[in-house]
Amino acid sequence: MSVKVESFRDDWTVADLDAAFTYLAGKDNVDENRIGILGHCWGGRVAWLGCCHNPGYKACAVFYGGRIKISFADGGLPPIEQAGNIPCPVLGIFGNDDQSPSPEDVDDYEAALNAAGVTAEFHRYDGAGHGFQDFTNEERFRETQSADAWEKVVAFLDRRLK
């Protein structure tokens, strides 16, 4: 079953993320003070959105997340307008050839985080478009940029969550 973007609701997504966070934080083998969130594409938007609503996250990584500047179905504020609620550093990984988000969108994301005083570390890759880490798609996949991005996200998460 696929969900249409038009029927996607930010409030429902936040509720799902909070339930997942609570479940994870309640596990005996999980340190609730070292939970981060990461997402690619739509999941990058979801990661940003989740951090806007849950002060428990200690790190957020957004891989080419688009549509952060708009809200969905529930009439809430767009995630970009909630940047000041983000409790943790944000790593952004983006391709300069992407149009969703475009380089201008990425500039706006970074400016919103900076204006809100959120620590942000953004990396942008020339020759890479949307989905450049999708190794199953020969047209999109960029091995060199993808490997560098993974090194950066692992180092970021190590610094923030270990």
Side-chain angles (χ1 to χ4, degrees):
M1 179 175 138
S2 66
V3 176
K4 292 184 178 183
V5 170
E6 297 80 25
S7 64
F8 185 88
R9 292 182 56 108
D10 288 346
D11 56 346
W12 293 351
T13 301
V14 168
D16 288 346
L17 289 170
D18 285 347
F21 184 95
T22 299
Y23 174 78
L24 188 60
K27 302 295 283 176
D28 290 340
N29 61 343
V30 174
D31 180 348
E32 70 179 275
N33 295 310
R34 293 195 275 172
I35 297 176
I37 188 168
L38 177 150
H40 286 77
C41 186
W42 189 259
R45 181 191 186 278
V46 168
W48 179 303
L49 178 68
C51 283
C52 292
H53 294 276
N54 186 327
Y57 289 110
K58 304 302 183 214
C60 176
V62 176
F63 284 81
Y64 36 85
R67 301 181 183 183
I68 289 174
K69 294 165 57 172
I70 59 175
S71 66
F72 282 94
D74 59 358
L77 288 175
I80 195 168
E81 293 181 27
Q82 301 175 58
N85 297 335
I86 295 176
C88 61
V90 175
L91 175 74
I93 302 290
F94 302 96
N96 285 329
D97 295 344
D98 200 343
Q99 289 307 304
S100 183
S102 69
E104 295 79 18
D105 289 334
V106 175
D107 290 342
D108 292 344
Y109 298 175
E110 194 167 22
L113 293 169
N114 289 334
V118 176
T119 300
E121 178 184 329
F122 276 33
H123 301 280
R124 303 166 191 230
Y125 294 92
D126 290 331
H130 196 77
F132 72 86
Q133 287 199 306
D134 183 356
F135 60 88
T136 67
N137 185 323
E138 286 184 28
E139 291 178 26
R140 290 183 173 190
F141 183 59
R142 299 295 179 267
E143 185 174 2
T144 301
Q145 295 92 326
S146 179
D148 187 71
W150 276 125
E151 286 179 23
K152 285 179 172 44
V153 77
V154 169
F156 173 79
L157 294 174
D158 279 350
R159 286 191 311 275
R160 303 301 178 186
L161 302 178
K162 277 193 173 180

